[in-house]
Amino acid sequence: MTETTTGADPVYVVDDLIAQDIDAYLDLHRNKTMLRFITCGSVDDGKSTLIGRLLYDSKMIFEDQLAALEADSKKVGTQGQAIDFALLVDGLAAEREQGITIDVAYRFFNTERRKFIVADCPGHEQYTRNMITGASTADLAVILIDARKGVLVQTRRHSYLCHLIGIRNVVLAVNKMDLIGYDQARYDAIVADYAAFARSIGIDRFTAMPISGFQGDNVTTRSANTPWYQGPTLVDHLESVEVNAARDAALPFRLPVQWVNRPNLDFRGFSGLVASGTVRVGDAVRVLPSGKTSSVAQIVTLDGNLDEAIAGQSVTLCLADEIDCSRGDVIAPADAPPQVADQFEATLVWLNDEAMIPGRAYWLKLATQTVSATVQAPKYVVNVNTMEHMAAKTLDLNAIGVAEVTADRPIVFEAYAENRTLGGFILVDKITNATVAAGMLHFSLRRAQNVHWQALDITREARATLKGQFAQVLWFTGLSGSGKSTIANLVEKKLHALGKHTFLLDGDNVRHGLNKDLGFTETDRIENIRRVGEVARLMTDAGLIVITAFISPFRAERDMVRAMMADGEFVEVFIDTPLEEAERRDVKGLYKKARSGTLKNFTGIDSPYEAPENAEIRVDTTREAAEDAAERIVNRIVNSIRGNWMPTI
């Protein structure tokens, strides 16, 4: 874009190339490389102002933004410039009202040499989750420091997170130099302070520059106010730095499958975004986690077939053989596949207001894979000021820690340091669907590679058939005093009288042996249910009808046990007794102790109970006698044994 002047207002005209050959112009811009970068740092370091300056001074303005500027001929001089900045970096209404950035604001622009996507990340510690979002796809980070304040806690936090996420191109922009009179000594001291911290976290190189986002010093043009600075301007550096796409193209080929494309019986392709490397027609490939091999017959795109595809392209691969492949699988070179495992060490950045609960099951989403996973208590958390590894039992909001993660089935992965797509994941709360953590895999645990499931000749179905029954778990849940154990005991007696093979796992009984080492904190309750679920699953393998009577107050843990079982084998029985009625009964005197404060973490008093939303069987003990409820449940079980599975009752 070139600039001419008409009177006092700047007017922009299109390049000659556009007028002469629009196709050539579009082709030129289509083939530009793209750099994704973020601006981050502490509050009020001038991130949004810098982005406004980049857009305004470099004339990197979209047509709609340009039209908005030209529509008002009064936007001239310093006052007009400030109004222009506001238009260019206009964010959310709440952000404008508060004068801060509380979400990630993205801007798209280009120069003659490169295209850019810039993410303006919030500076407040409470919005670290938003900063992680912006950094997750960035090639470069511009870390701003207010020259008056120097290196702050949030400067360190954001630098550590950028390095953790794999950003290796770092710009240290010492901003607001105009407010300290362009003092070189102050600038040098800040850079030296930051350099010492950077070395401690593994940042071995960064590019420092003195700037003023408001005045424009060293942003797009070299400033006469800093003759002692001989480095590049910010824009010069952004235009020349290497982008991740070039690095990704040099890695081994990886295609996480997003969906199976089969518009007709004659076509079957596997679609997705090439995460890394290059694939060519004829290449031998392996589908993971199954390990099946084939070769690439076609590479299909909307614009026609290709001979090869590279990182960053969305393609559909047709294979020479009819092999099993579905969403979540990864296609890779046959001789250089990624790893497959179900237990890992990982770094987690906790993003939720509610602290992590060790042992609770979350959805783990990595590339196109979604599995259920649990996180153990952290090995340590990191103090971003001192880099000290500190002991902790959990992870609170914005905490950074290292922990072991266990998935419910093997997933395809690589270390995050090697491949961000197959090494980076998020954890999602199963109940609220909130993203609670961002994670980076380090390596699989040795036991995950050495421990394998032993196939047995006698199946669970064979064992159950021998007993003339359908193996299943009757999971009784409800408040203490609701009548779970009473009804569960009656159900087992009736089934036993019918010649059925059963076993009753009672909450109190299990805590005398298997779970005697567990207390009643939320974490211990989760582990209590996990262990019982594993025992129940093994008993169903033996062909038994397993009956359990546990308060099991959390939906996530009941769902965790359900996921352990085959379809139809988990029957949730909700003993729906109001708290007032359960407390009135108080056979064991527990509610009285809880009300007096001598019994902590008691369900219904100072610990929550999450009632089932879609239990297969519901029993209202205020309207139905225990004997009648047990008979109704047994009738259902008998019908299921006969193959007549009954609906929810």
Side-chain angles (χ1 to χ4, degrees):
M1 211 176 266
T2 56
E3 176 182 340
T4 62
T5 303
T6 305
D9 295 332
V11 178
Y12 301 95
V13 297
V14 234
D15 287 325
D16 293 339
L17 181 58
I18 301 178
Q20 295 170 6
D21 190 343
I22 186 63
D23 290 333
Y25 177 82
L26 292 175
D27 188 61
L28 173 68
H29 285 266
R30 188 180 298 115
N31 294 321
K32 288 179 182 178
T33 59
M34 174 173 290
L35 177 75
R36 296 172 177 266
F37 72 96
I38 63 170
T39 58
C40 55
S42 194
V43 180
D44 258 351
D45 279 347
K47 296 178 291 294
S48 298
T49 301
L50 174 62
I51 294 175
R53 172 60 67 180
L54 278 169
L55 298 176
Y56 184 82
D57 276 9
S58 299
K59 313 302 184 293
M60 299 180 261
I61 304 174
F62 281 126
E63 291 183 3
D64 57 342
Q65 295 171 320
L66 180 58
L69 295 178
E70 292 178 339
D72 188 348
S73 61
K74 295 181 181 179
K75 296 182 176 66
V76 186
T78 304
Q79 180 182 4
Q81 187 181 89
I83 297 174
D84 294 345
F85 277 6
L87 284 172
L88 291 171
V89 297
D90 189 22
L92 300 174
E95 295 173 353
R96 294 197 304 274
E97 292 168 3
Q98 297 180 45
I100 62 170
T101 301
I102 60 176
D103 206 343
V104 181
Y106 292 93
R107 295 292 175 265
F108 309 83
F109 57 87
N110 67 82
T111 67
E112 291 302 320
R113 297 174 60 187
R114 177 169 277 176
K115 300 175 185 177
F116 298 93
I117 299 178
V118 55
D120 182 8
C121 297
H124 284 71
E125 180 180 350
Q126 69 206 77
Y127 303 120
T128 298
R129 70 192 83 181
N130 307 78
M131 180 267 169
I132 290 287
T133 301
S136 62
T137 57
D139 303 290
L140 178 145
V142 178
I143 298 174
L144 282 88
I145 291 181
D146 187 327
R148 301 167 300 174
K149 301 175 183 177
V151 178
L152 302 176
V153 171
Q154 200 68 338
T155 312
R156 296 186 176 94
R157 182 185 302 276
H158 282 188
S159 298
Y160 181 76
L161 289 172
C162 287
H163 182 69
L164 195 64
I165 274 182
I167 298 176
R168 297 296 175 256
N169 296 312
V170 176
V171 173
L172 182 69
V174 183
N175 193 24
K176 304 186 182 181
M177 288 296 295
D178 54 311
L179 299 183
I180 63 166
Y182 303 97
D183 183 353
Q184 181 183 1
R186 174 61 176 159
Y187 168 80
D188 290 341
I190 291 174
V191 173
D193 187 15
Y194 183 82
F197 168 74
R199 284 192 298 271
S200 72
I201 63 173
I203 298 179
D204 52 8
R205 58 193 176 97
F206 61 90
T207 301
M209 55 185 66
I211 69 167
S212 169
F214 185 72
Q215 297 296 339
D217 298 282
N218 297 321
V219 177
T220 58
T221 57
R222 192 179 297 278
S223 173
N225 294 314
T226 56
W228 40 267
Y229 173 69
Q230 301 301 313
T233 66
L234 178 58
V235 169
D236 286 341
H237 183 72
L238 296 177
E239 287 183 325
S240 60
V241 74
E242 183 185 19
V243 297
N244 283 347
R247 185 191 68 180
D248 292 342
L251 296 173
F253 167 65
R254 306 288 187 253
L255 176 75
V257 177
Q258 293 180 322
W259 72 89
V260 178
N261 196 334
R262 192 154 199 172
N264 55 63
L265 294 177
D266 298 324
F267 184 92
R268 184 167 181 256
F270 307 104
S271 303
L273 179 72
V274 180
S276 63
T278 301
V279 62
R280 299 174 180 84
V281 173
D283 283 356
V285 295
R286 186 182 301 273
V287 176
L288 296 165
S290 71
K292 299 294 184 181
T293 58
S294 184
S295 60
V296 178
Q298 288 180 290
I299 302 175
V300 181
T301 73
L302 289 175
D303 297 323
N305 289 5
L306 303 175
D307 293 328
E308 70 173 24
I310 62 174
Q313 287 184 289
S314 293
V315 299
T316 296
L317 298 186
C318 297
L319 303 182
D321 304 284
E322 284 282 343
I323 62 176
D324 184 29
C325 182
S326 58
R327 176 178 172 82
D329 290 347
V330 175
I331 302 176
D335 59 352
Q339 300 179 63
V340 177
D342 60 1
Q343 295 179 331
F344 319 89
E345 182 185 272
T347 294
L348 293 173
V349 182
W350 197 253
L351 307 176
N352 198 35
D353 292 328
E354 298 293 331
M356 182 192 82
I357 302 176
R360 169 157 290 180
Y362 299 97
W363 292 122
L364 184 153
K365 296 189 176 186
L366 185 152
T368 57
Q369 304 170 89
T370 300
V371 298
S372 181
T374 57
V375 184
Q376 300 307 309
K379 295 180 177 180
Y380 60 83
V381 296
V382 179
N383 183 322
V384 296
N385 288 314
T386 64
M387 292 298 106
E388 179 185 3
H389 292 179
M390 303 172 63
K393 294 182 178 180
T394 185
L395 295 176
D396 295 313
L397 177 63
N398 296 327
I400 303 165
V402 171
E404 293 183 1
V405 179
T406 302
D408 66 344
R409 61 181 182 273
I411 61 174
V412 185
F413 83 102
E414 289 186 288
Y416 186 83
E418 299 173 7
N419 189 312
R420 292 168 74 173
T421 300
L422 290 182
F425 64 91
I426 61 171
L427 294 179
V428 178
D429 187 282
K430 289 187 172 183
I431 303 300
T432 65
N433 287 323
T435 299
V436 298
M440 289 129 277
L441 295 178
H442 298 169
F443 49 79
S444 63
L445 300 178
R446 185 176 300 274
R447 61 178 176 272
Q449 299 171 348
N450 294 344
V451 179
H452 304 279
W453 188 265
Q454 177 64 47
L456 303 175
D457 292 332
I458 306 300
T459 65
R460 60 191 294 147
E461 289 77 16
R463 298 186 188 101
T465 300
L466 188 65
K467 296 176 175 64
Q469 60 190 40
F470 176 67
Q472 55 193 295
V473 173
L474 299 180
W475 191 275
F476 286 73
T477 177
L479 293 170
S480 176
S482 62
K484 298 183 301 301
S485 296
T486 299
I487 299 174
N489 188 53
L490 287 170
V491 167
E492 186 180 34
K493 287 172 63 177
K494 291 176 181 292
L495 288 173
H496 182 75
L498 293 172
K500 304 306 173 187
H501 298 256
T502 64
F503 195 88
L504 174 59
L505 290 168
D506 182 78
D508 285 351
N509 293 350
V510 168
R511 283 186 176 272
H512 279 86
L514 176 66
N515 293 343
K516 66 180 181 181
D517 60 319
L518 300 177
F520 291 89
T521 64
E522 193 167 358
T523 298
D524 283 350
R525 285 169 178 264
I526 292 170
E527 176 60 13
N528 180 52
I529 297 304
R530 188 196 68 79
R531 293 182 191 179
V532 170
E534 292 289 357
V535 170
R537 183 178 63 80
L538 289 172
M539 286 184 167
T540 58
D541 282 346
L544 297 176
I545 298 172
V546 184
I547 305 166
T548 73
F550 291 84
I551 294 174
S552 49
F554 305 119
R555 295 190 194 102
E557 281 59 67
R558 297 194 298 266
D559 288 344
M560 172 182 65
V561 178
R562 183 187 292 272
M564 295 178 185
M565 309 300 169
D567 289 343
E569 288 189 2
F570 184 88
V571 180
E572 190 172 38
V573 184
F574 177 29
I575 308 303
D576 188 0
T577 302
L579 175 62
E580 298 76 14
E581 175 62 18
E583 191 168 358
R584 185 189 65 78
R585 298 172 184 174
D586 202 12
V587 178
K588 302 174 184 177
L590 300 179
Y591 284 99
K592 184 177 181 180
K593 292 180 180 179
R595 291 294 186 188
S596 67
T598 59
L599 182 59
K600 301 295 184 182
N601 300 314
F602 190 74
T603 303
I605 305 301
D606 56 354
S607 184
Y609 177 78
E610 298 172 352
E613 296 178 331
N614 296 293
E616 282 79 6
I617 300 175
R618 176 179 172 273
V619 176
D620 183 347
T621 60
T622 63
R623 298 186 178 184
E624 186 175 20
E627 183 72 29
D628 295 337
E631 187 67 30
R632 181 161 61 95
I633 294 168
V634 168
N635 286 336
R636 170 174 179 144
I637 301 306
V638 171
N639 273 277
S640 70
I641 293 171
R642 293 171 179 163
N644 302 317
W645 192 251
M646 297 178 66
T648 299
I649 57 176

